[in-house]
Amino acid sequence: MSIRLTVLSVMEEVAAEQQKKLAPLADGTVLANSGLDSLCFAIIVARLEDALGADPFTASEEVYFPVTLADFIALYENVSAA
């Protein structure tokens, strides 16, 4: 499964588990408007670290917080490519 599909799958899974109404996911979707809260994102990051073997938020000394879904996916694609 591609990184993009893994990220989308985990986001949908967590939204369902946490009973959150997930906004339609597109590259331009602003994460703050996705329907997910900070707990959901913490769970997503932990699960993606398990699934992909990397956490882009600790892999770099540079602090960057993604704004859109495309930004979020690119973080994982970039850390996996390194």
Side-chain angles (χ1 to χ4, degrees):
M1 184 181 301
S2 73
I3 290 173
R4 178 183 186 79
L5 290 178
T6 301
V7 169
L8 294 174
S9 175
V10 170
M11 289 179 82
E12 291 168 352
E13 179 180 284
V14 170
E17 290 171 3
Q18 297 296 312
Q19 300 176 347
K20 301 291 183 184
K21 182 171 173 44
L22 193 59
L25 297 177
D27 283 344
T29 301
V30 175
L31 296 176
N33 299 331
S34 66
L36 301 170
D37 59 19
S38 59
L39 174 60
C40 292
F41 279 107
I43 295 168
I44 289 166
V45 169
R47 289 197 186 162
L48 288 173
E49 182 176 6
D50 289 343
L52 302 174
D55 177 358
F57 299 99
T58 59
S60 173
E61 292 180 18
E62 207 173 296
V63 177
Y64 170 74
F65 296 102
V67 175
T68 66
L69 178 60
D71 297 338
F72 189 70
I73 292 169
L75 278 176
Y76 283 93
E77 290 174 336
N78 291 339
V79 78
S80 293

